[in-house]
Amino acid sequence: MNFKDKPDTHFKSVDKLDKKEAAEQIDALREGINHHDYLYYVKGSPEISDKVYDKLFNRLEELEAAFPDLQTEDSPTRRVGAEPVSKLKKVTHKAPLFSLQATLEKEDIDSFLTTAQHKAGKDSVQCVLEPKFDGLSVEVVYKNGHFDYGSTRGTGEEGEDISHNLKTIRALPMELQHKDETPASLAIRGEVFMPKDGFMALNKRRIERGETAFSNPRNAAAGIMRQLESRHVADKPLDIIFYEILATEGAQPATHQEVLKQLSRWGLKTCDLNQSASTLKKIEQYHHRLAEERDDLDYEIDGIVIKLDDHDLRNAMGTRDRSPRWALAWKFPPREEITTVEDIVVQVGRTGILTPVALLQPVDIGGVTVSRATLHNEDEVHRKDIRVGDRVRIMRAGDVIPEVDERVKTPGKKRAQEFHMPDRCPVCNAEVTREGAYYVCTAGLACAAQLRGRIQHYAARSAMNIDHLGEQTANQLVERQMVSNLADLYTLAVDDLKSLEGFAETSAKQLHDAIQEAREPRLDRFLFALGLHHVGRRVARQLAEQFHTLDNLMKADQSQIEDIPGIGTETAMETEHFFRDPANRDVIKRMQEQGLKVHPMPRPEKKPLEGKTFVFTGSLENFTRDEAKEQVEMLGARATSSVSNSTDFVVVGSDPGSKRDEAENIGVECIDEKDFEKLINKHGKPAGG
């Protein structure tokens, strides 16, 4: 049987095969599938249709199910669906995985060549030039031509075993070609990376679901490859390139060019941009060419790697503690804050508001890699006339949230169509309605994105303060349909939580205990934790002080709420609607049945810092920013984000921004964290609630 060339997909019924016939067909199918994986994922030139490939794969699965004793670990069917590992084991590398010394200066390249020429006693030395992939460096080990295991670079001497996840990457062969020519043991080095189009698609899905986007493809690849369950990796767009033999039984090739040829002969993917050079001029031309072409490549590179070709010369050059002397990385200058809008996607927040987000070609802004930026709302997109494919200038508003500042005009370039918000929610497909400048999903907690967001917000430190309940855990609780509303959190058992990825007996018990301990909040904390539209911490405190108990607030009408100074009609209307909604009342009732007891808010008294205004800048050691604001607000003061003549105190932490200088220029008092603590303690530090 030959499934390599024009494979026949008309198969005899499995129950009519004896074991010998099944074994022969299984071997032939594995060989054929591996061959077509190589053509598709390594060579990029498939010879059969997806439909034919699926028939071959499904037939192999059917045979292995019927003859389970013929299953093998290196079968193509074992790439996905493997049992999750309990943790990532430590692995000692066959040989050190050195990091590369890097430079931005041409003079350092000249010095590198001069040193190598002197050591070789020649006027020129041959180098191999390669793109510097911005990915995850890995060691992959083969035994007798079969995949054995793979690990992360880690410390360079020791890494983590990620074999279960590497198997899901189709470009990585489970069996080498010409395996009769392979050494008994072979350790090679490669780079796992995420192609740009796959990265953009992944971030689009994450943003639409209300999850945090990955900042760049390298972080995405590194985070995904350390998952404990390969089923969460198998559908991710990962690829791998190989570029070095680390260790082998028997003789190594004499040059790096021969190594690359040998890797390719074994069916391992190498980079088609590699080339040789022996002069600084040729190296500079290569560096310049790739710097210009990097935006058009389907993967991220941040420079080039220059390696001596001759292995004897490499040995003569030797190594430093953590890097070889025979190789050097010449990095590209960081991209400026002007970049390209690759896509505009719509994110669904916990309150149902749809926000357009620009997915960007990653760009460095003040030392931070930015790959997404808010576009606020449809009106803002139209006002700035931002479209997919535009060049834009990015700014970080308040040094935190990246946003698109303006479009950079590119004369002569054809532009994409104007952006419009969707009519249906991108997560749950419910109807979308417009409320003022915003579009809102009408599904409420039936929308998975809103539910995930509400769980995260409910558990936040400034809300119910439930440790260990972050974004990833909230996602799993919703995806596995373990939580359909906030009341379900209190019904989760330790065994339920143990089934989540990343949890074992101890961590599951810790989360369970943290949820159970979050049963007696003060009213203002509980109101903020519920995540009502327009109800932040300040409004939650106003509501709690006015109505004192949860029962009183749930009975209040719009006019009573609107009578509170500073609360507008829209907030009052939204609050009344929330507590009159039968579904919300039912969730609160179920929470109370599970032991939730909301403590009344203390009656407001004259507060010692009433009328004072605080601004915080820099990082505080003993408070988060929200905690510091809560302290002053509980004492009657306001916390604002900008310095003005009405500011009374600017609290200065470590690494402060420009706000300290602004305060000093207009004569506003600046105090450090120690003085801030003395001030709030003097007036009676309020309970955290």
Side-chain angles (χ1 to χ4, degrees), residues 76 94 189 272 363 388 423 425 440 506 511 545 549 589 594:
K94 297 289 186 182
R189 185 170 181 175
D272 56 6
V363 60
V388 174
D423 297 325
C425 174
V440 181
T506 300
L511 175 53
E545 289 175 345
T549 68
K589 180 182 177 183
Q594 293 295 326

Side-chain angles (χ1 to χ4, degrees), residues 607-660:
K607 297 181 179 178
L609 294 180
E610 197 164 315
K612 300 294 184 184
T613 300
F614 285 73
V615 171
F616 297 89
T617 182
S619 301
L620 301 179
E621 185 177 345
N622 297 320
F623 302 88
T624 65
R625 184 67 59 87
D626 282 342
E627 288 170 342
K629 287 180 178 179
E630 183 175 21
Q631 295 300 323
V632 298
E633 288 171 353
M634 286 296 292
L635 292 169
R638 287 195 319 135
T640 63
S641 59
S642 57
V643 178
S644 69
N645 289 323
S646 63
T647 304
D648 294 287
F649 298 99
V650 172
V651 182
V652 180
S654 59
D655 299 322
S658 60
K659 293 173 186 175
R660 178 176 61 181

